[in-house]
Amino acid sequence: MSGGARNHVIDVARALSVLVVVVFHTLLYRIRLTDAGLTLEPWAAPTWLYPLTWVLMIMPLFFVAGGFAHTLTVDRMHREGTSAGHYLASRGRRLIGPLVVFVTFCAIGFSLAAWAGFLDAASELSRLLMQLLWFITTYLGIVVVAPGAVRLHDRFGVAPMLVLAVLAAAVDAWSFAVDNDELRYLNLMFVWPLVHQFGIAYQRGWWRRGPVWVAWASIAAGAAGVALLVFGFGYPPTSVGFADLPIANIQPPTLAMASLALAQCGVLGLVERSGVLASLPPALEKGLGLLNAVMVSVYLWHIPIIGLTGGALALLALAAPVAAPALLSPATLAVASTLVVAAAVPLLGRLELRMIPPLGPRQDTTLAVLAFGMLALGTLLVWLTGTVVHPGRPGSTLGVLAIWVGAWTMGRAADRSQAMTRD
């Protein structure tokens, strides 16, 4: 597809990605009822499942889809002559609703617990839950550089990808050489921007137009790259971490994620070429659009919902021990959690929608830059420190306040005429 038309292949890929993320996270822990009571155990996947983790690893598709969407936005900016403030406000305001509602709910709950005397426990649990904000933090950074990334691709083609790949490989080599996994967080600046470049290239026609052998070659090269990194250079054998293998290739990321993304782009190209998703029934297309619209909400809320659903099933198992094996099975948790997510997210979406500021006819570029910076800083601090608002936790307190102030400022930046009227 070209122009501003929806690309069903990209939309379906994102929708399937969300479903896989939700189901996968229900498998990370096992709830068991024993003679000693309920136990919660991290899941250590059998080694025969390791190859399947690469097939089902879909996080790269989020960044491919982001590159695709940003390219369309940047092209529209050039056609319409819109400002950088318009770009930042239009992209940033969409995250405000889901981000502010989620962070505020968590801040209220964990802060009340902290002020009630459970500061350490509330802080640690909050910090662990906010680990999922690595994605939002990285995505905000990519949004800022996306216009430049599109220009680089249009001018230099594959060269920026090669530079990013070399830098990612260098970070991996350094990390493995000194046995320090934390160094690989530097790859947030290289691996995911590289995958984002793939998305730009996909929109420009790579893989879905031209010789079909390019798509097949990308699949082969991407799969061979993952195999070479794992078996030849000692990269972790799974894409994600488990109880007995907590640090793998996704968080923090390695070059293997980019290699996997290359293969996935080839698959997307073959699917699009086949025409199987060229047209969809109106009802399915509408549902797909709605799911893509609430994708950030699903991502943010699915882990708390899984926890609450697991807790409810555990209580039912205590009340009816005979049914405990069925109630506590991974399949039951996966189905129940997915249903609760499907029921809760539309309700939360109504609240989130009210938090999204309107995009007026004029934007304040200075305020948009300031607001975006505040949102990025706040999200980074919340990711690293949690959402406890308390004098004993200045990092998380500053992070929550930065998100609130950034959201308020973005509202004024998104509609300059209303801001000037209020002033």
Side-chain angles (χ1 to χ4, degrees):
M1 283 187 185
S2 60
R6 299 294 305 187
N7 187 295
H8 294 146
V9 173
I10 294 293
D11 285 345
V12 168
R14 284 191 291 199
L16 290 177
S17 298
V18 170
L19 180 60
V20 170
V21 167
V22 173
V23 172
F24 173 76
H25 281 151
T26 63
L27 302 176
L28 291 182
Y29 288 88
R30 293 285 192 267
I31 307 173
R32 302 188 187 281
L33 181 61
T34 66
D35 293 338
L38 288 169
T39 62
L40 184 66
E41 303 171 358
W43 182 43
T47 55
W48 61 265
L49 275 180
Y50 287 2
L52 190 60
T53 68
W54 293 100
V55 176
L56 296 178
M57 168 45 63
I58 43 64
M59 188 56 72
L61 290 176
F62 282 108
F63 291 95
V64 171
F68 186 99
H70 287 148
T71 306
L72 293 175
T73 300
V74 170
D75 288 348
R76 186 168 62 250
M77 286 174 56
H78 292 162
R79 289 194 305 269
E80 299 174 356
T82 53
S83 65
H86 175 89
Y87 168 75
L88 290 176
S90 64
R91 305 306 294 180
R93 73 187 187 94
R94 299 178 186 180
L95 284 175
I96 285 178
L99 182 62
V100 170
V101 170
F102 179 72
V103 169
T104 300
F105 266 78
C106 293
I108 291 173
F110 287 114
S111 298
L112 287 175
W115 284 93
F118 303 98
L119 177 59
D120 290 341
S123 297
E124 180 61 15
L125 184 57
S126 171
R127 187 190 64 80
L128 291 174
L129 178 59
M130 292 303 118
Q131 291 298 295
L132 55 82
L133 286 187
W134 75 264
F135 171 74
I136 304 297
T137 304
T138 305
Y139 189 76
L140 285 170
I142 287 178
V143 167
V144 172
V145 303
V150 174
R151 287 195 295 270
L152 284 173
H153 174 80
D154 289 341
R155 183 173 181 181
F156 299 109
V158 73
M161 302 178 192
L162 294 176
V163 171
L164 289 169
V166 169
L167 291 172
V171 169
D172 287 348
W174 183 21
S175 170
F176 295 143
V178 299
D179 194 24
N180 185 349
D181 297 326
E182 297 295 317
L183 291 173
R184 281 168 35 201
Y185 279 104
L186 292 171
N187 265 341
L188 292 175
M189 299 186 294
F190 304 130
V191 169
W192 298 127
L194 171 56
V195 178
H196 184 265
Q197 289 296 126
F198 291 164
I200 297 171
Y202 190 89
Q203 197 284 326
R204 290 299 191 237
W206 292 25
W207 298 292
R208 58 195 185 120
R209 294 195 289 268
V212 70
W213 67 262
V214 174
W216 285 108
S218 295
I219 296 172
V226 170
L228 177 64
L229 292 173
V230 170
F231 297 108
F233 291 93
Y235 278 55
T238 65
S239 65
V240 293
F242 295 101
D244 54 343
L245 190 67
I247 304 297
N249 289 279
I250 178 67
Q251 182 61 3
T254 69
L255 184 62
M257 285 294 102
S259 188
L260 177 63
L262 179 64
Q264 290 175 336
C265 285
V267 172
L268 292 179
L270 292 178
V271 172
E272 188 162 346
R273 286 169 180 271
S274 73
V276 67
L277 297 176
S279 61
L280 298 175
L284 179 57
E285 186 171 16
K286 181 180 179 181
L288 194 60
L290 290 174
L291 179 56
N292 277 273
V294 299
M295 188 168 300
V296 174
S297 302
V298 173
Y299 176 79
L300 290 174
W301 286 100
H302 78 280
I303 290 181
I305 287 175
I306 290 171
L308 293 173
T309 304
L313 291 173
L315 291 176
L316 290 174
L318 285 174
V322 175
L327 289 171
L328 301 181
S329 71
T332 301
L333 180 58
V335 172
S337 298
T338 303
L339 292 175
V340 175
V341 168
V345 166
L347 299 177
L348 292 165
R350 296 178 183 177
L351 177 59
E352 294 168 352
L353 187 61
R354 296 176 184 175
M355 298 294 298
I356 298 176
L359 189 66
R362 298 176 63 194
Q363 287 72 47
D364 189 313
T365 299
T366 302
L367 280 182
V369 171
L370 177 62
F372 214 91
M374 293 292 289
L375 287 171
L377 173 64
T379 306
L380 174 64
L381 288 173
V382 167
W383 164 33
L384 296 176
T385 63
T387 60
V388 170
V389 179
H390 189 281
R393 295 295 183 268
S396 57
T397 300
L398 179 60
V400 172
L401 292 178
I403 288 175
W404 287 342
V405 173
W408 177 83
T409 307
M410 185 63 77
R412 296 174 69 84
D415 192 351
R416 184 178 179 185
S417 60
Q418 290 190 16
M420 293 173 67
T421 300
R422 287 192 295 267
D423 292 340

